Structures are given as C-alpha cells and as structure tokens.
C-alpha cells in the first residue's frame, strides 16, 4: 500500500468526520497530539499510514487479547465471510457462542447478543427496571458503561478525558433517577441503599474499574454491594465489557466467586468485530422479547462474522488457559520495572491491564485518579509515541497487553519508559 500523505488525510478527516474521528478519545486531545492514522496491524504491532511501526498497548481498547490479526482467527473468519456476512436470522454460531459463554460464566443462564456494549447496557437497565418495577439506578463515579443517557453522569473514559460531568443533550428527565456514588465508598453506599432501596432497580459497576485508569475494587466494597443488592431485591449488574475473558476464561466474577444477576459483555467476545451482550438469571432474561414484554432488537445482532470471530478467540483461550498466566507474568515484569524506575507515580494493574497514574499516594476512586498530573502524562505519552510505543492517549484508560506481546516488546518498552521518565 502506498504511503498516504498525513496532512491531506488529516484535513480530509476533519472535513468529513466530526473532529476527524468516530470516537472522541481517538482525537488525542488530552495529550495535545495529532491523531494517528493506522491501516494495518499484526501481533503486538500497529502501523501508521506513514508506515511507522508501533508497539501497541491500546489493542483496540482491550478487544484483542490474542493480538492483532491473529492468524487462526483470521482464517476462521475468512471461511465464514465467504459463506455470507449477515443473514438476519438465527445461526448455529450464535447458539454455539451463547453455550460457550453460559458454560464459562455460571451466573449467565441466558444471553442476548447486541452490536455494542452501550446497547447491551441500555437493554440491561430497561430489563432491571421491568423486573423490579423500580426506577432508580446506582452507578459509580468514573465507571463508564457506554453512552446511554441515564449513565452519562460522571462517567469515565472519554467523558473523563474531556473533563465533562455529563453530555449536552441529556435531559434531566433521563438522569434524575441515576444516583452516582464514589467507587469503593462502602459507607455512603450502605447509607443510600438503606434509605432508598424501595426505589432502586439496579446497581451497575465495573468489577475492576478500567475507565478512570485501572482501579481495583476493595473486598469490603464488593462484599457490601453483593450483600445489599441481595438483601433489598436490587438487580446487581456487573459490566464486564473489559474484564470479560480478559483476566481468566470467564468473567472476573469467576475469580471473585460472585454471581451477579446480570452481566454485560463486549470486546473480547467479538474477536475484534462489533459486539455486545447481556445475560444472567433465567427468570430475569425471560422477560426479554419475544418471551417477555421488554422490547429489544437489532438488525445485525448476532452477526455471524463477529460471533464466529468470538468463538475462535474463546476456543483458543479455553484450550490454552496458560495464556492468562503468561499475560499476567509479562505485565508484571513491565509493571515492576516501571515501579523501580520512578517512585512518584502509581502503577495500578491486574492481569494484563495497567495504568500509570502521574501522582503520588494511592488511587482508590475517581477523585484520586483526577488528581493525576495530566500535563506530565501528556509529555510522557508524546515521548513514548516519538519512540514508537503507543499508549492510550488519556490518563483515564487502561493499557492492554496481548498474547502477541513478546519479551523483546516489553524490554523495548521499559527502555523507552526509562528515557521518558528521565525527561519529565
Ligand atoms: N462498558 C465498559 C466497561 C466499557 O469499557 C465500554 C467501552 O469501552 C462500554 C461499556 C461500551 O461499549 P461499546 O464501546 O462497545 O459501546
């Protein structure tokens, strides 16, 4: 493929796409850089239209656990595509992936596939409200659950990156029933639920917060959330769009030994193609149309390409569970070196996910994350990019390792980080 002139592409992108992008964080605004245009990626590497090769830690925002263009996945998908790309009817592939997920995540007895995580979240909230006949939703500051109106309040990811509390165009009517609490704050959660449980339909949370940077849940926080949702008949929704199949074969809930009422999935289960899913207890899921009165549908839901890509990834992960240990070990090498290099950052990590927060002290919630030095992060990001290491262009995102990241990639990354830390 010929080299494409960056300036021409950039100006055309800005002319025809809003802000030159189709998702805000891709504009690289927090780090005050020009966006990167890419047109191919293999393994741990992503290639810009300027033909530069980067070691990629964005990994399609966590969707690619095996790496880019993983050969077995690609050949599987090629076969499927040649037999049809969309049928608008049920395929055996959907049944297969549903079975695989239900077996891997025991709390999911039935599942419905959608096209994105946002769509799945939106549907799950509607379902929780129908099931409980209650209105209110509890979410936590800095958790991101997609761009559904009810949840665009103090959200993480792009909303945190652009430092806005909510989006214009979201009506008060849509957010007046959303209660926003601090992640890991047990006391306030307890107080609010005791007061308002009769009105609360559901509690939704990321079991590892990954959209304000990686923040781990404290045991006592999760214990209280589980205890109180059960006690007061509130639907507990785990948003595992990022953590699903990322930290083990199944949800992070498997490792925690928690069975939420509903679970949201996305990213990895689509093998790099658009997907989302919500599933959970049979008695709740049976309320979804056509069995029940909660309407939700989609022209391309269960699309054969996404679904078969997901099946092929899950099959590889299931057969080779050592991949999770390997990913964790590789990440730990990187994280430990970073901690050794610089004392005044906080490195938060779990499995193959990590964030370097540019601040001292601990990071337990959104407030703590927000105290990071964004200017330092931006400088750090630029130095890394200039040295062909690609981190997500926001302090409030997770870096992701894939199975394809090699020891050499890690060593190169450590050297560049060392150089960057010396300059800032
Ligand atoms: N939930 C979580 C935890 C996410 O990280 C995201 C996206 O990053 C979503 C939901 C929304 O998913 P999508 O971007 O597929 O709509």
């Amino acid at each position: 493929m010929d080299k494409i002139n960056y300036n021409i592409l950039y100006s055309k992108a800005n002319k025809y796409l809003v802000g030159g992008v189709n998702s805000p964080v891709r504009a690289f605004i927090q780090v005050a850089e020009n966006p990167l245009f890419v047109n191919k990626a293999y393994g741990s590497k992503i290639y810009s239209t300027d033909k530069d090769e980067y070691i990629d830690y964005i990994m399609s925002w966590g969707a690619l656990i095996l790496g880019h263009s993983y050969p077995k996945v690609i050949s599987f998908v090629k076969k499927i595509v040649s037999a049809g790309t969309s049928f608008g009817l049920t395929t055996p592939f959907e049944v297969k992936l549903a079975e695989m997920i239900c077996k891997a995540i025991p709390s999911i007895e039935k599942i419905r596939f959608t096209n994105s995580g946002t769509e799945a979240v939106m549907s799950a909230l509607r379902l929780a409200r129908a099931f409980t006949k209650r209105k209110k939703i509890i979410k936590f500051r800095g958790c991101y659950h997609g761009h559904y109106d009810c949840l665009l309040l103090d959200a993480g990811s792009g909303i945190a990156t652009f430092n806005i509390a909510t989006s214009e165009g979201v009506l008060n009517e849509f957010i007046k029933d959303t209660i926003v609490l601090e992640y890991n704050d047990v006391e306030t959660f307890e107080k609010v639920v005791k007061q308002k449980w009769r009105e609360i339909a559901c509690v939704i949370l990321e079991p590892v917060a990954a959209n304000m940077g990686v923040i781990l849940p404290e045991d006592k926080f999760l214990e209280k959330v589980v205890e109180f949702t059960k006690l007061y008949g509130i639907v507990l929704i785990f948003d595992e769009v990022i953590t699903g199949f990322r930290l083990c074969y199944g949800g992070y809930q498997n490792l925690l030994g928690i069975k939420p009422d509903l679970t949201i999935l996305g990213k990895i289960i689509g093998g790099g193609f658009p997907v989302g899913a919500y599933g959970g207890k049979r008695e709740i899921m049976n309320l979804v149309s056509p069995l029940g009165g909660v309407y939700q549908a989609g022209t391309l839901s269960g699309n054969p390409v996404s679904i078969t890509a997901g099946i092929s990834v899950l099959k590889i992960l299931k057969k080779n569970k050592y991949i999770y240990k390997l990913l964790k070990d590789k990440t730990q090498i990187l994280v430990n070196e970073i901690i050794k290099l610089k004392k005044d950052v906080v490195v938060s990590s779990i499995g193959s996910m990590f964030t370097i927060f540019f601040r001292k002290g601990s990071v337990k919630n959104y407030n703590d994350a927000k105290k990071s030095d964004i200017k330092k992060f931006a400088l750090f990001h630029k130095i890394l990019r200039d040295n062909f290491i690609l981190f997500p262009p926001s302090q409030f995102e997770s870096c992701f390792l894939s199975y394809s990241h090699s020891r050499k990639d890690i060593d190169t990354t450590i050297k560049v980080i060392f150089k960057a830390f010396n300059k800032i």
Side-chain angles (χ1 to χ4, degrees):
M1 212 182 282
D2 286 342
K3 197 165 159 173
I4 303 168
N5 181 291
Y6 184 92
N7 292 332
I8 295 176
L9 191 56
Y10 188 37
S11 75
K12 270 198 185 177
N14 280 309
K15 184 170 175 192
Y16 296 115
L17 294 170
V18 181
V21 294
N22 280 310
S23 196
V25 187
R26 297 180 200 170
F28 285 60
I29 285 175
Q30 193 192 66
V31 290
E33 293 170 28
N34 285 340
L36 194 62
F37 290 95
V38 295
N39 54 7
K40 56 183 181 179
Y42 305 104
S44 60
K45 311 291 185 331
I46 194 159
Y47 298 85
S48 72
T49 47
D50 285 334
K51 294 188 179 272
D52 289 323
E53 178 189 277
Y54 295 84
I55 302 174
D56 183 18
Y57 289 92
I58 299 177
M59 282 289 142
S60 193
W61 307 95
L64 301 170
I65 191 165
L66 298 174
H68 291 282
S69 314
Y70 197 75
K72 276 191 184 159
V73 178
I74 298 296
S75 62
F76 204 57
V77 167
K78 274 185 180 163
K79 264 192 226 154
I80 292 301
V81 169
S82 59
T85 53
S86 178
F87 306 113
L89 293 169
T90 305
T91 64
F93 318 123
E94 289 150 78
V95 179
K96 175 77 190 159
L97 186 59
E99 183 186 12
M100 288 176 85
I101 293 174
C102 291
K103 285 188 173 160
I105 306 178
S107 74
I108 304 183
E109 292 172 331
K110 275 191 179 180
I111 193 163
R112 169 66 61 87
F113 293 110
T114 61
N115 296 291
S116 70
T118 299
E119 207 189 315
V121 166
M122 187 178 91
S123 314
L125 293 195
R126 184 182 303 144
L127 181 57
R129 282 172 159 160
F131 180 72
T132 56
K133 309 265 187 289
R134 299 176 188 167
K135 270 190 186 175
K136 293 203 186 297
I137 292 160
I138 292 185
K139 80 164 288 267
F140 297 93
R141 290 185 75 221
C143 283
Y144 178 67
H145 305 289
H147 58 93
Y148 180 37
D149 289 27
C150 295
L151 296 174
L152 273 184
L153 266 177
D154 284 328
S157 194
I159 290 276
T161 302
F162 291 93
N163 205 18
I164 44 180
T166 187
S167 162
E168 284 180 29
V170 171
L171 304 178
N172 279 340
E173 289 90 310
F174 285 119
I175 51 178
K176 71 177 176 14
D177 289 312
T178 307
I179 303 169
V180 186
L181 302 177
E182 207 67 68
Y183 199 73
N184 278 329
D185 179 352
V186 184
E187 287 74 29
T188 315
F189 175 77
E190 192 168 347
K191 206 171 111 194
V192 170
V193 175
K194 274 185 181 163
Q195 269 173 10
K196 298 188 192 265
W197 66 268
R198 284 181 191 79
E199 295 173 89
I200 301 171
C202 63
V203 173
I204 183 165
L205 79 157
E206 297 178 68
V208 170
N211 284 293
M212 44 180 153
V214 173
I215 297 184
L216 303 186
E218 291 179 347
D219 290 347
K220 59 179 191 269
F221 171 65
L222 284 182
E223 277 161 21
K224 190 53 75 183
V225 167
V226 171
E227 182 198 329
F228 267 36
T229 46
K230 201 167 182 183
L231 185 65
Y232 292 109
I234 297 166
V235 174
L236 175 58
I237 307 177
F238 267 21
D239 183 345
E240 298 229 38
V241 165
I242 286 186
T243 51
F245 294 93
R246 163 69 46 191
L247 302 172
C248 67
Y249 185 77
Y252 184 50
Q253 57 189 268
N254 298 35
L255 299 180
L256 293 167
I258 294 174
K259 278 184 152 191
D261 301 302
L262 293 176
T263 298
I264 316 291
L265 295 167
K267 302 202 192 247
I268 289 175
I269 63 154
F273 289 85
V275 85
Y278 62 105
K281 280 193 178 145
R282 190 172 291 111
E283 61 168 326
I284 305 181
M285 292 305 291
N286 282 348
L287 294 184
V288 178
S289 185
L291 290 185
V294 177
Y295 194 71
Q296 183 266 315
T299 303
L300 291 185
S301 293
N303 175 265
V305 185
S306 308
I307 297 296
T308 48
I311 292 173
S312 65
V313 171
L314 260 49
K315 270 190 178 166
I316 293 166
L317 292 173
K318 189 175 179 205
K319 240 197 216 161
N320 305 286
K321 294 215 180 90
Y322 71 88
I323 286 178
Y324 289 103
K325 164 103 176 59
L326 203 85
L327 276 170
K328 188 177 175 187
D329 291 347
K330 274 195 271 190
T331 310
Q332 220 42 58
I333 294 171
L334 184 53
V335 162
N336 287 342
E337 286 303 317
I338 298 169
I339 293 169
K340 264 195 242 158
L341 291 177
K342 184 103 172 165
K343 296 277 183 277
D344 51 357
V345 293
V346 178
V347 190
S348 183
S349 80
I350 181 163
S352 49
M353 302 159 56
F354 73 95
T355 298
I356 308 173
F357 290 103
F358 282 79
R359 55 155 298 171
K360 288 182 192 160
S362 61
V363 182
K364 288 184 178 179
N365 56 37
Y366 194 49
N367 265 347
D368 296 340
K370 284 293 220 183
K371 285 181 190 143
S372 304
D373 188 332
I374 302 295
K375 282 196 180 134
K376 269 195 190 160
F377 174 80
L379 190 56
F380 174 77
H381 187 275
K382 181 164 182 353
I383 298 169
L384 260 59
R385 179 171 167 183
D386 289 345
N387 288 276
F388 306 105
I389 306 290
L390 186 63
F391 267 31
S394 165
Q395 172 70 96
F396 307 114
E397 300 285 353
S398 170
C399 293
F400 294 99
L401 267 82
S402 76
Y403 182 48
S404 298
H405 282 81
S406 64
R407 183 62 212 247
K408 191 164 163 247
D409 291 330
I410 309 284
D411 291 342
T412 309
T413 307
I414 292 167
K415 275 188 205 139
V416 173
I417 290 180
F418 178 68
K419 196 164 151 182
F421 279 164
N422 279 338
K423 283 196 186 168
I424 53 179

